[in-house]
Amino acid sequence: MIEPLRLAFEVACPASHAFETWTERTSMWWPPAHTVTHDPKAIVVFEPHVNGRIFERSSSGREVDWGRITSWDPPRRLVYQWHIATDPESATEVEIAFVDLGDRTRVEIEHRGWERLGDRGRGWREMNQAGWDGVLGPYAEACTRVSRAI
């Protein structure tokens, strides 16, 4: 077994806002360099239900699937199969808990299932660690920025 990636941090907003920023406002914080098309005008979509798609839509209308939602429990929990930049058969699993602390939220992420990738698993895990490092800062900033504007 390859050890899951486990990440935890706090954002300065209530859990409902943290969940919505992750799932409804993704395009405002997800870096274009972390999309398949690298299109700065791409829109990231989480279809808000179990079996909903996660995908990017480029400014030209091209849609690229990133994953499928397997558990949708706003504002507490979200689980999805994740296969950005690979095929659905090689999907890993991401589980995110949004722990309500009042005016703050603890976000706990577990990214697992690397063994499904066989020999590529360890390298893919390390690459995804770098990916998470590149998206979590902008996400935390968006939670604070949008929370203040509301």
Side-chain angles (χ1 to χ4, degrees):
M1 182 176 155
I2 301 171
E3 185 69 23
L5 288 173
R6 291 184 179 93
L7 309 152
F9 56 97
E10 289 186 14
V11 292
C13 65
S16 60
H17 184 73
F19 188 95
E20 290 168 5
T21 299
W22 192 278
T23 61
E24 297 176 24
R25 298 181 188 98
T26 316
S27 301
M28 72 179 283
W29 58 267
W30 192 274
H34 289 260
T35 65
V36 174
T37 65
H38 301 285
D39 181 347
K41 295 181 181 178
I43 296 169
V44 180
V45 177
F46 280 70
E47 294 178 336
H49 54 83
V50 171
N51 205 34
R53 293 170 56 214
I54 304 167
F55 63 95
E56 76 180 82
R57 183 181 298 123
S58 72
S59 56
S60 69
R62 176 181 171 210
E63 291 186 357
V64 180
D65 281 339
W66 291 5
R68 287 263 176 210
I69 296 169
T70 58
S71 180
W72 181 266
D73 184 20
R76 292 177 294 280
R77 186 171 168 266
L78 174 66
V79 184
Y80 48 88
Q81 296 295 308
W82 187 245
H83 58 81
I84 188 171
T86 190
D87 57 89
E89 293 76 33
S90 298
T92 53
E93 184 172 66
V94 175
E95 179 172 0
I96 308 171
F98 299 87
V99 182
D100 190 355
L101 304 174
D103 62 346
R104 298 187 65 76
T105 301
R106 180 170 171 81
V107 180
E108 300 172 348
I109 301 171
E110 182 172 299
H111 192 166
R112 57 189 175 243
W114 308 107
E115 53 281 344
R116 290 183 204 142
L117 301 171
D119 293 339
R120 297 181 302 146
R122 291 195 190 285
W124 202 253
R125 180 189 183 277
E126 297 310 311
M127 188 173 65
N128 274 264
Q129 176 67 63
W132 284 114
D133 291 345
V135 300
L136 295 181
Y139 166 71
E141 291 172 21
C143 283
T144 302
R145 186 175 59 246
V146 175
S147 183
R148 287 186 185 147
I150 293 176

